Protein backbone atom coordinates (compact mmCIF):
# COMPACT_ATOMS: atom_id res chain seq x y z
CA UNK A 1 0.00 0.00 0.00
CA UNK A 2 1.19 3.51 -0.72
CA UNK A 3 1.74 5.02 2.74
CA UNK A 4 0.97 8.47 1.40
CA UNK A 5 -2.14 7.57 -0.57
CA UNK A 6 -4.69 8.75 2.00
CA UNK A 7 -2.68 11.75 3.21
CA UNK A 8 -4.82 14.91 3.00
CA UNK A 9 -7.59 12.98 1.24
CA UNK A 10 -11.10 14.18 2.01
CA UNK A 11 -13.25 11.17 2.78
CA UNK A 12 -16.97 11.07 3.47
CA UNK A 13 -17.61 7.94 5.52
CA UNK A 14 -21.20 6.70 5.20
CA UNK A 15 -22.33 4.46 8.05
CA UNK A 16 -25.54 2.45 7.63
CA UNK A 17 -27.69 0.30 9.92
CA UNK A 18 -25.75 -2.92 10.43
CA UNK A 19 -24.45 -4.44 13.67
CA UNK A 20 -21.00 -4.00 12.08
CA UNK A 21 -21.47 -0.22 12.50
CA UNK A 22 -19.50 -0.50 15.75
CA UNK A 23 -16.40 -1.12 13.59
CA UNK A 24 -16.84 2.31 11.99
CA UNK A 25 -15.44 3.90 15.14
CA UNK A 26 -12.14 2.07 14.63
CA UNK A 27 -12.30 2.75 10.89
CA UNK A 28 -12.47 6.52 11.50
CA UNK A 29 -9.36 6.29 13.68
CA UNK A 30 -7.42 4.21 11.14
CA UNK A 31 -8.32 6.62 8.32
CA UNK A 32 -7.21 9.60 10.38
CA UNK A 33 -3.94 7.85 11.29
CA UNK A 34 -3.20 7.77 7.54
CA UNK A 35 -3.74 11.53 7.34
CA UNK A 36 -7.27 11.51 5.88
CA UNK A 37 -9.81 14.21 6.70
CA UNK A 38 -13.01 12.31 7.56
CA UNK A 39 -16.62 13.56 7.66
CA UNK A 40 -19.18 11.03 8.82
CA UNK A 41 -22.70 10.72 7.39
CA UNK A 42 -25.02 8.27 9.18
CA UNK A 43 -28.38 6.84 8.25
CA UNK A 44 -31.05 6.90 10.96
CA UNK A 45 -30.79 3.11 11.28
CA UNK A 46 -27.03 3.41 11.91
CA UNK A 47 -27.78 5.64 14.93
CA UNK A 48 -29.57 2.65 16.51
CA UNK A 49 -26.26 0.75 16.53
CA UNK A 50 -23.67 3.44 17.35
CA UNK A 51 -24.10 6.99 18.58
CA UNK A 52 -23.30 10.00 16.40
CA UNK A 53 -21.42 11.42 19.41
CA UNK A 54 -18.87 8.57 19.22
CA UNK A 55 -18.17 9.21 15.54
CA UNK A 56 -18.22 12.98 16.01
CA UNK A 57 -15.60 12.72 18.76
CA UNK A 58 -13.37 10.40 16.74
CA UNK A 59 -13.65 12.30 13.44
CA UNK A 60 -13.42 15.73 15.07
CA UNK A 61 -16.41 17.01 13.08
CA UNK A 62 -20.19 17.03 13.53
CA UNK A 63 -21.91 13.98 12.10
CA UNK A 64 -24.52 14.63 9.40
CA UNK A 65 -27.72 12.57 9.46
CA UNK A 66 -30.72 14.53 8.21
CA UNK A 67 -31.35 15.60 4.64
CA UNK A 68 -34.03 18.07 5.58
CA UNK A 69 -32.40 19.77 8.54
CA UNK A 70 -31.81 23.50 8.06
CA UNK A 71 -28.98 23.62 10.63
CA UNK A 72 -27.07 20.70 9.13
CA UNK A 73 -27.59 21.95 5.58
CA UNK A 74 -26.30 25.37 6.66
CA UNK A 75 -23.13 23.81 8.17
CA UNK A 76 -22.15 21.58 5.23
CA UNK A 77 -25.14 20.63 3.08
CA UNK A 78 -25.32 17.53 0.94
CA UNK A 79 -24.23 19.31 -2.24
CA UNK A 80 -21.26 20.88 -0.50
CA UNK A 81 -20.27 17.53 1.00
CA UNK A 82 -20.69 15.90 -2.41
CA UNK A 83 -18.23 18.40 -3.93
CA UNK A 84 -15.89 18.30 -0.93
CA UNK A 85 -15.29 14.53 -0.98
CA UNK A 86 -12.29 13.08 -2.80
CA UNK A 87 -13.84 9.68 -2.05
CA UNK A 88 -17.08 8.43 -0.55
CA UNK A 89 -16.65 5.25 1.50
CA UNK A 90 -19.73 3.43 2.79
CA UNK A 91 -18.83 0.99 5.58
CA UNK A 92 -20.80 -0.90 6.61
CA UNK A 93 -23.25 -0.94 3.71
CA UNK A 94 -26.45 -2.94 4.28
CA UNK A 95 -28.34 -4.87 1.60
CA UNK A 96 -30.98 -2.15 1.69
CA UNK A 97 -28.37 0.58 1.12
CA UNK A 98 -27.01 -1.33 -1.90
CA UNK A 99 -30.54 -1.62 -3.32
CA UNK A 100 -31.23 2.05 -2.76
CA UNK A 101 -27.94 3.13 -4.34
CA UNK A 102 -28.41 0.79 -7.30
CA UNK A 103 -31.86 2.19 -8.01
CA UNK A 104 -30.73 5.81 -7.68
CA UNK A 105 -32.82 6.65 -4.59
CA UNK A 106 -32.01 9.98 -2.96
CA UNK A 107 -34.43 10.22 -0.05
CA UNK A 108 -31.94 10.33 2.79
CA UNK A 109 -28.76 12.30 3.25
CA UNK A 110 -26.34 9.51 2.31
CA UNK A 111 -28.07 8.43 -0.91
CA UNK A 112 -28.75 12.06 -1.92
CA UNK A 113 -25.06 12.82 -1.38
CA UNK A 114 -24.00 9.82 -3.51
CA UNK A 115 -26.31 10.77 -6.35
CA UNK A 116 -25.08 14.38 -6.29
CA UNK A 117 -21.39 13.50 -6.24
CA UNK A 118 -18.90 12.93 -9.04
CA UNK A 119 -16.46 11.52 -6.48
CA UNK A 120 -15.52 7.86 -6.64
CA UNK A 121 -17.46 5.51 -4.41
CA UNK A 122 -16.15 2.56 -2.38
CA UNK A 123 -18.62 0.26 -0.65
CA UNK A 124 -17.87 -2.31 2.09
CA UNK A 125 -21.00 -4.49 2.40
CA UNK A 126 -22.02 -6.20 5.66
CA UNK A 127 -24.98 -8.54 5.99
CA UNK A 128 -26.15 -12.08 6.69
CA UNK A 129 -24.67 -14.55 4.19
CA UNK A 130 -28.08 -15.45 2.71
CA UNK A 131 -28.83 -11.78 2.15
CA UNK A 132 -25.44 -11.37 0.45
CA UNK A 133 -26.07 -14.34 -1.86
CA UNK A 134 -29.61 -13.25 -2.64
CA UNK A 135 -29.98 -12.74 -6.38
CA UNK A 136 -31.35 -9.22 -5.97
CA UNK A 137 -28.34 -8.21 -3.87
CA UNK A 138 -25.93 -9.74 -6.38
CA UNK A 139 -27.70 -7.91 -9.22
CA UNK A 140 -27.36 -4.66 -7.30
CA UNK A 141 -23.66 -5.31 -6.75
CA UNK A 142 -23.15 -6.00 -10.47
CA UNK A 143 -25.00 -2.82 -11.35
CA UNK A 144 -23.01 -0.70 -8.90
CA UNK A 145 -19.74 -2.20 -10.20
CA UNK A 146 -20.71 -1.37 -13.77
CA UNK A 147 -21.08 2.24 -12.61
CA UNK A 148 -17.47 2.12 -11.34
CA UNK A 149 -18.30 1.68 -7.63
CA UNK A 150 -15.57 -0.30 -5.88
CA UNK A 151 -16.82 -3.16 -3.73
CA UNK A 152 -14.52 -3.94 -0.79
CA UNK A 153 -15.13 -7.43 0.58
CA UNK A 154 -17.20 -8.80 2.21
CA UNK A 155 -15.18 -11.29 4.27
CA UNK A 156 -16.21 -14.81 5.27
CA UNK A 157 -16.50 -16.23 8.77
CA UNK A 158 -18.65 -16.02 11.90
CA UNK A 159 -21.63 -13.73 11.62
CA UNK A 160 -23.36 -11.73 14.36
CA UNK A 161 -26.57 -13.69 13.61
CA UNK A 162 -24.82 -16.94 14.61
CA UNK A 163 -24.38 -18.22 11.05
CA UNK A 164 -21.17 -18.77 9.10
CA UNK A 165 -20.44 -17.52 5.61
CA UNK A 166 -19.70 -14.62 3.32
CA UNK A 167 -21.08 -11.26 4.35
CA UNK A 168 -18.91 -9.98 7.20
CA UNK A 169 -17.61 -6.44 7.03
CA UNK A 170 -13.88 -6.37 6.23
CA UNK A 171 -11.74 -5.46 9.23
CA UNK A 172 -11.07 -1.69 9.44
CA UNK A 173 -7.36 -2.13 8.63
CA UNK A 174 -8.24 -4.15 5.52
CA UNK A 175 -10.74 -1.47 4.42
CA UNK A 176 -8.08 1.23 4.82
CA UNK A 177 -5.56 -0.84 2.84
CA UNK A 178 -8.03 -1.58 0.07
CA UNK A 179 -9.01 2.08 -0.17
CA UNK A 180 -5.38 3.22 -0.23
CA UNK A 181 -4.74 0.91 -3.20
CA UNK A 182 -7.60 2.58 -5.10
CA UNK A 183 -6.77 6.19 -4.31
CA UNK A 184 -4.27 8.24 -6.30
CA UNK A 185 -1.78 9.80 -3.87
CA UNK A 186 -2.06 13.61 -3.72
CA UNK A 187 1.45 14.12 -5.06
CA UNK A 188 0.82 16.40 -8.02
CA UNK A 189 -0.06 19.50 -5.98
CA UNK A 190 1.30 22.56 -7.80
CA UNK A 191 2.11 20.53 -10.93
CA UNK A 192 0.70 21.26 -14.39
CA UNK A 193 -0.44 18.26 -16.41
CA UNK A 194 -1.44 18.50 -20.09
CA UNK A 195 -3.51 15.62 -21.47
CA UNK A 196 -4.79 14.93 -24.99
CA UNK A 197 -7.91 12.83 -25.47
CA UNK A 198 -10.36 11.52 -28.05
CA UNK A 199 -10.13 11.22 -31.82
CA UNK A 200 -9.31 13.89 -34.37
CA UNK A 201 -11.54 14.64 -37.34
CA UNK A 202 -9.75 15.40 -40.61
CA UNK A 203 -12.16 17.10 -43.00
CA UNK A 204 -12.61 15.89 -46.56
CA UNK A 205 -15.30 18.41 -47.48
CA UNK A 206 -17.79 20.47 -45.40
CA UNK A 207 -19.80 17.36 -44.41
CA UNK A 208 -17.31 14.48 -44.41
CA UNK A 209 -14.25 13.67 -42.40
CA UNK A 210 -11.79 10.89 -41.56
CA UNK A 211 -12.13 9.93 -37.91
CA UNK A 212 -11.66 6.94 -35.64
CA UNK A 213 -13.47 5.01 -32.90
CA UNK A 214 -11.78 6.65 -29.88
CA UNK A 215 -14.43 7.69 -27.32
CA UNK A 216 -12.08 9.84 -25.20
CA UNK A 217 -13.04 7.88 -22.06
CA UNK A 218 -9.49 6.93 -21.12
CA UNK A 219 -8.12 10.46 -21.62
CA UNK A 220 -10.97 11.96 -19.60
CA UNK A 221 -10.43 9.36 -16.86
CA UNK A 222 -6.72 10.29 -16.84
CA UNK A 223 -7.70 13.95 -16.43
CA UNK A 224 -9.90 13.02 -13.45
CA UNK A 225 -7.07 10.96 -11.90
CA UNK A 226 -4.57 13.83 -12.37
CA UNK A 227 -7.01 16.29 -10.77
CA UNK A 228 -7.58 13.83 -7.90
CA UNK A 229 -3.81 13.86 -7.38
CA UNK A 230 -3.97 17.65 -6.98
CA UNK A 231 -2.61 18.73 -10.40
CA UNK A 232 -3.73 21.69 -12.52
CA UNK A 233 -5.03 19.87 -15.57
CA UNK A 234 -5.38 21.08 -19.15
CA UNK A 235 -7.36 18.61 -21.24
CA UNK A 236 -7.13 19.07 -25.02
CA UNK A 237 -9.88 17.02 -26.54
CA UNK A 238 -11.08 15.99 -29.96
CA UNK A 239 -14.83 15.62 -30.67
CA UNK A 240 -16.27 13.41 -27.89
CA UNK A 241 -19.55 13.09 -26.09
CA UNK A 242 -18.32 13.46 -22.51
CA UNK A 243 -18.86 16.05 -19.78
CA UNK A 244 -15.89 18.12 -18.61
CA UNK A 245 -14.59 16.72 -15.31
CA UNK A 246 -14.56 19.08 -12.33
CA UNK A 247 -11.31 20.96 -11.64
CA UNK A 248 -10.15 20.37 -15.24
CA UNK A 249 -9.72 23.07 -17.85
CA UNK A 250 -10.79 21.82 -21.28
CA UNK A 251 -9.93 22.95 -24.78
CA UNK A 252 -11.90 21.46 -27.70
CA UNK A 253 -10.28 20.92 -31.09
CA UNK A 254 -11.14 18.97 -34.23
CA UNK A 255 -8.06 18.35 -36.34
CA UNK A 256 -4.58 16.98 -35.60
CA UNK A 257 -3.12 20.35 -36.61
CA UNK A 258 -5.36 22.18 -34.10
CA UNK A 259 -4.44 19.64 -31.40
CA UNK A 260 -0.76 20.16 -32.20
CA UNK A 261 -1.09 23.94 -31.98
CA UNK A 262 -2.97 23.85 -28.64
CA UNK A 263 -0.54 21.33 -27.16
CA UNK A 264 2.47 23.45 -28.18
CA UNK A 265 0.81 26.54 -26.70
CA UNK A 266 0.16 24.85 -23.33
CA UNK A 267 3.00 22.42 -22.86
CA UNK A 268 5.64 25.08 -22.15
CA UNK A 269 6.68 24.74 -18.51
CA UNK A 270 4.25 21.89 -17.81
CA UNK A 271 5.45 18.98 -15.67
CA UNK A 272 3.70 16.04 -17.32
CA UNK A 273 2.34 15.48 -20.80
CA UNK A 274 0.03 12.51 -21.29
CA UNK A 275 -0.84 11.77 -24.92
CA UNK A 276 -4.04 9.73 -24.82
CA UNK A 277 -5.55 11.03 -28.03
CA UNK A 278 -5.98 8.79 -31.06
CA UNK A 279 -4.58 11.35 -33.47
CA UNK A 280 -5.14 10.70 -37.17
CA UNK A 281 -1.88 9.75 -38.84
CA UNK A 282 -3.05 11.06 -42.23
CA UNK A 283 -5.37 13.78 -43.42
CA UNK A 284 -6.80 14.55 -46.87
CA UNK A 285 -4.22 16.64 -48.66
CA UNK A 286 -6.91 18.88 -50.01
CA UNK A 287 -10.07 20.17 -48.36
CA UNK A 288 -12.88 20.48 -50.90
CA UNK A 289 -14.77 23.72 -50.23
CA UNK A 290 -18.00 22.28 -51.62
CA UNK A 291 -19.54 18.90 -50.94
CA UNK A 292 -18.06 16.27 -53.27
CA UNK A 293 -20.80 15.06 -55.60
CA UNK A 294 -21.53 11.48 -56.45
CA UNK A 295 -20.50 11.06 -60.09
CA UNK A 296 -20.68 8.25 -62.57
CA UNK A 297 -17.03 7.36 -62.02
CA UNK A 298 -16.55 4.13 -60.07
CA UNK A 299 -13.75 5.22 -57.83
CA UNK A 300 -12.88 8.35 -55.95
CA UNK A 301 -9.30 8.79 -54.93
CA UNK A 302 -8.36 10.76 -51.87
CA UNK A 303 -4.76 11.77 -51.50
CA UNK A 304 -3.69 11.63 -47.87
CA UNK A 305 -0.76 13.39 -46.33
CA UNK A 306 0.85 12.68 -42.91
CA UNK A 307 -0.16 14.77 -39.91
CA UNK A 308 2.36 16.09 -37.40
CA UNK A 309 3.35 13.69 -34.62
CA UNK A 310 2.36 15.72 -31.57
CA UNK A 311 4.02 13.63 -28.91
CA UNK A 312 7.33 13.64 -30.83
CA UNK A 313 7.09 17.42 -31.24
CA UNK A 314 6.90 17.62 -27.43
CA UNK A 315 9.76 15.20 -26.74
CA UNK A 316 11.94 17.02 -29.30
CA UNK A 317 11.44 20.36 -27.54
CA UNK A 318 13.82 21.94 -25.01
CA UNK A 319 13.01 21.48 -21.34
CA UNK A 320 10.62 18.70 -22.17
CA UNK A 321 8.16 17.50 -19.53
CA UNK A 322 7.81 13.86 -18.39
CA UNK A 323 5.98 12.34 -21.37
CA UNK A 324 3.60 9.38 -21.36
CA UNK A 325 2.29 7.95 -24.63
CA UNK A 326 -0.34 5.35 -25.44
CA UNK A 327 -0.24 2.56 -27.97
CA UNK A 328 -3.40 0.90 -29.18
CA UNK A 329 -2.46 -2.17 -31.15
CA UNK A 330 -4.34 -5.05 -32.72
CA UNK A 331 -1.30 -7.39 -32.50
CA UNK A 332 2.30 -7.68 -31.23
CA UNK A 333 1.43 -5.20 -28.47
CA UNK A 334 4.69 -5.42 -26.52
CA UNK A 335 7.04 -5.20 -29.50
CA UNK A 336 5.24 -2.20 -31.03
CA UNK A 337 4.96 -0.44 -27.67
CA UNK A 338 8.67 -0.82 -26.89
CA UNK A 339 9.58 0.41 -30.35
CA UNK A 340 7.35 3.48 -29.87
CA UNK A 341 8.82 4.18 -26.44
CA UNK A 342 12.26 4.51 -28.06
CA UNK A 343 11.32 6.09 -31.34
CA UNK A 344 9.13 8.79 -29.80
CA UNK A 345 11.57 9.32 -26.87
CA UNK A 346 8.79 8.73 -24.33
CA UNK A 347 9.35 8.29 -20.59
CA UNK A 348 6.53 5.74 -20.40
CA UNK A 349 4.10 4.03 -22.72
CA UNK A 350 0.78 2.41 -21.85
CA UNK A 351 -0.22 -0.21 -24.37
CA UNK A 352 -3.45 -2.05 -24.94
CA UNK A 353 -4.99 -4.41 -27.42
CA UNK A 354 -7.82 -2.99 -29.54
CA UNK A 355 -10.27 -4.42 -32.02
CA UNK A 356 -13.05 -7.03 -31.70
CA UNK A 357 -14.88 -4.98 -29.07
CA UNK A 358 -11.78 -4.51 -26.88
CA UNK A 359 -10.12 -1.20 -26.00
CA UNK A 360 -12.02 1.51 -27.88
CA UNK A 361 -15.45 2.81 -26.82
CA UNK A 362 -15.80 0.29 -23.98
CA UNK A 363 -15.73 0.90 -20.23
CA UNK A 364 -13.18 -1.71 -19.24
CA UNK A 365 -9.62 -2.07 -20.29
CA UNK A 366 -6.28 -3.66 -19.43
CA UNK A 367 -2.87 -2.04 -19.91
CA UNK A 368 0.75 -3.09 -20.25
CA UNK A 369 2.99 -0.24 -19.20
CA UNK A 370 6.65 0.03 -20.24
CA UNK A 371 9.46 2.39 -19.30
CA UNK A 372 13.20 2.19 -19.90
CA UNK A 373 13.98 0.12 -16.83
CA UNK A 374 10.81 -1.85 -16.28
CA UNK A 375 7.23 -2.76 -17.04
CA UNK A 376 3.98 -3.57 -15.28
CA UNK A 377 0.63 -5.07 -16.22
CA UNK A 378 -2.43 -3.22 -14.93
CA UNK A 379 -5.21 -5.82 -14.95
CA UNK A 380 -8.67 -5.42 -16.47
CA UNK A 381 -10.65 -2.77 -14.59
CA UNK A 382 -13.20 -0.03 -15.32
CA UNK A 383 -11.37 2.79 -17.17
CA UNK A 384 -11.83 5.18 -14.23
CA UNK A 385 -9.99 2.81 -11.87
CA UNK A 386 -7.44 1.83 -14.50
CA UNK A 387 -6.65 5.54 -14.96
CA UNK A 388 -6.08 5.90 -11.20
CA UNK A 389 -3.77 2.86 -11.19
CA UNK A 390 -1.87 4.23 -14.18
CA UNK A 391 -1.62 7.69 -12.59
CA UNK A 392 -0.15 6.13 -9.42
CA UNK A 393 2.46 4.37 -11.58
CA UNK A 394 3.20 7.57 -13.53
CA UNK A 395 3.70 9.48 -10.25
CA UNK A 396 6.12 6.77 -9.03
CA UNK A 397 8.20 6.95 -12.22
CA UNK A 398 8.00 10.74 -12.42
CA UNK A 399 9.28 11.01 -8.85
CA UNK A 400 12.02 8.45 -9.51
CA UNK A 401 13.20 10.44 -12.54
CA UNK A 402 13.10 13.77 -10.75
CA UNK A 403 14.94 12.67 -7.64
CA UNK A 404 17.88 10.96 -9.39
O1 LIG B 1 2.16 6.04 -33.63
P1 LIG B 1 0.95 5.90 -32.81
O2 LIG B 1 -0.19 6.77 -33.27
O3 LIG B 1 0.47 4.51 -32.58
O4 LIG B 1 1.42 6.43 -31.36
C1 LIG B 1 0.55 6.57 -30.33
C2 LIG B 1 0.98 7.69 -29.40
O5 LIG B 1 1.42 8.83 -30.13
C3 LIG B 1 -0.17 8.16 -28.57
O6 LIG B 1 0.32 8.58 -27.34
C4 LIG B 1 -0.73 9.30 -29.41
O7 LIG B 1 -1.47 10.21 -28.61
C5 LIG B 1 0.53 9.92 -29.97
N1 LIG B 1 0.37 10.56 -31.27
C6 LIG B 1 0.52 11.93 -31.39
N2 LIG B 1 0.42 12.53 -32.61
C7 LIG B 1 0.17 11.81 -33.72
C8 LIG B 1 0.01 10.41 -33.62
C9 LIG B 1 0.11 9.82 -32.39
O8 LIG B 1 0.74 12.60 -30.38
N3 LIG B 1 0.07 12.42 -34.90
Amino acid sequence: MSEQALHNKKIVLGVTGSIAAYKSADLVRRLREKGADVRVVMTKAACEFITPLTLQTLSGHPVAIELLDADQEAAMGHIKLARWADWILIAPATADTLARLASGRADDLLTALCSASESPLAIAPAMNNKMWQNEATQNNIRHLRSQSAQILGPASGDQACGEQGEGRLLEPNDIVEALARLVVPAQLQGKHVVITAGPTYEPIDPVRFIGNRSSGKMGFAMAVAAAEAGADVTLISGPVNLPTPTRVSRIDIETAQQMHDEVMAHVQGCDLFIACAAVADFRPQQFERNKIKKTKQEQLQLILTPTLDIVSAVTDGDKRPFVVGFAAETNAVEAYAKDKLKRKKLDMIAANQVGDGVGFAVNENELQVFWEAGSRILPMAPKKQLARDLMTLIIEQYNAKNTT
Side-chain angles (χ1 to χ4, degrees):
M1 149 167 68
S2 159
E3 270 307 307
Q4 286 298 307
L6 296 177
H7 192 73
N8 285 340
K9 286 290 173 188
K10 304 188 200 91
I11 294 174
V12 166
L13 173 64
V15 181
T16 73
S18 152
I19 178 60
Y22 78 92
K23 292 189 184 173
S24 310
D26 193 28
L27 180 56
V28 173
R29 297 201 55 177
R30 302 281 158 255
L31 288 168
R32 290 195 68 194
E33 275 169 14
K34 298 288 178 200
D37 188 357
V38 183
R39 303 291 155 94
V40 178
V41 172
M42 296 174 77
T43 61
K44 285 198 185 128
C47 302
E48 303 287 331
F49 290 94
I50 182 169
T51 71
L53 186 60
T54 306
L55 297 180
Q56 172 173 321
T57 310
L58 293 172
S59 68
H61 294 282
V63 169
I65 302 157
E66 302 284 350
L67 180 59
L68 304 173
D69 177 320
D71 286 344
Q72 283 191 7
E73 282 289 299
M76 173 120 56
H78 66 289
I79 299 294
K80 227 174 175 181
L81 264 176
R83 289 200 192 118
W84 175 86
D86 291 322
W87 271 81
I88 300 174
L89 168 65
I90 305 182
T94 59
D96 183 59
T97 305
L98 298 179
R100 287 150 45 71
L101 287 171
S103 59
R105 296 290 291 268
D107 56 357
D108 68 2
L109 180 62
L110 184 59
T111 50
L113 171 72
C114 289
S115 71
S117 184
E118 287 182 330
S119 309
L121 176 63
I123 300 173
M127 66 199 71
N128 164 277
N129 62 91
K130 304 284 185 316
M131 290 172 85
W132 171 249
Q133 274 151 17
N134 184 294
E135 203 179 322
T137 304
Q138 288 300 314
N139 283 339
N140 291 333
I141 287 286
R142 265 190 294 280
H143 183 65
L144 289 166
R145 275 208 176 106
S146 74
Q147 295 181 322
S148 291
Q150 297 288 336
I151 310 297
L152 315 181
S156 281
D158 291 335
Q159 299 214 288
C161 53
E163 294 187 20
Q164 281 262 331
E166 206 180 1
R168 281 167 57 93
L169 183 68
L170 287 184
E171 292 306 319
N173 265 334
D174 295 335
I175 295 177
V176 171
E177 269 200 31
L179 187 66
R181 275 196 295 273
L182 296 171
V183 169
V184 184
Q187 284 180 12
L188 294 180
Q189 216 83 45
K191 306 281 183 210
H192 182 203
V193 179
V194 177
I195 299 174
T196 64
T200 63
Y201 284 1
E202 308 301 328
I204 298 169
D205 68 16
V207 294
R208 303 183 180 94
F209 59 83
I210 296 176
N212 61 65
R213 293 186 195 281
S214 168
S215 64
K217 281 182 185 160
M218 192 63 198
F220 275 57
M222 288 305 290
V224 170
E228 281 174 10
D232 293 325
V233 184
T234 305
L235 175 63
I236 302 170
S237 176
V240 295
N241 192 10
L242 294 170
T244 307
T246 36
R247 290 181 275 165
V248 167
S249 109
R250 169 174 173 177
I251 297 164
D252 287 321
I253 56 84
E254 284 213 342
T255 65
Q257 182 67 48
Q258 289 164 353
M259 184 172 272
H260 170 271
D261 295 349
E262 290 295 347
V263 166
M264 293 329 244
H266 288 87
V267 87
Q268 296 301 323
C270 89
D271 302 280
L272 277 146
F273 175 61
I274 303 175
C276 263
V279 186
D281 294 322
F282 292 91
R283 65 175 173 79
Q285 189 170 41
Q286 195 173 327
F287 170 70
E288 296 295 336
R289 298 219 160 274
N290 296 315
K291 186 180 167 193
I292 301 171
K293 290 302 206 196
K294 199 163 32 172
T295 58
K296 290 268 175 314
Q297 67 194 20
E298 275 181 4
Q299 288 182 329
L300 172 70
Q301 282 197 337
L302 280 178
I303 300 185
L304 302 179
T305 183
T307 56
L308 294 166
D309 193 305
I310 302 168
V311 85
S312 299
V314 173
T315 55
D316 282 340
D318 318 328
K319 287 182 51 192
R320 51 168 283 179
F322 187 93
V323 179
V324 183
F326 276 71
E329 306 291 351
T330 51
N331 60 307
V333 175
E334 178 168 349
Y336 282 129
K338 283 184 169 166
D339 169 65
K340 244 171 242 182
L341 180 74
K342 265 210 180 121
R343 194 163 35 82
K344 299 197 179 205
K345 299 186 215 137
L346 306 172
D347 294 291
M348 275 180 114
I349 190 154
N352 68 326
Q353 183 123 16
V354 292
D356 285 340
V358 186
F360 276 166
V362 290
N363 287 322
E364 289 220 331
N365 209 347
E366 158 181 274
L367 289 175
Q368 293 182 54
V369 190
F370 303 92
W371 56 98
E372 199 188 357
S375 71
R376 188 156 330 152
I377 290 183
L378 301 178
M380 185 70 83
K383 281 185 182 172
K384 281 184 182 166
Q385 187 53 46
L386 194 64
R388 285 188 202 111
D389 297 342
L390 178 58
M391 192 52 74
T392 304
L393 193 55
I394 292 173
I395 293 170
E396 266 173 44
Q397 293 304 314
Y398 171 77
N399 286 339
K401 184 153 187 171
N402 286 285
T403 48
T404 49

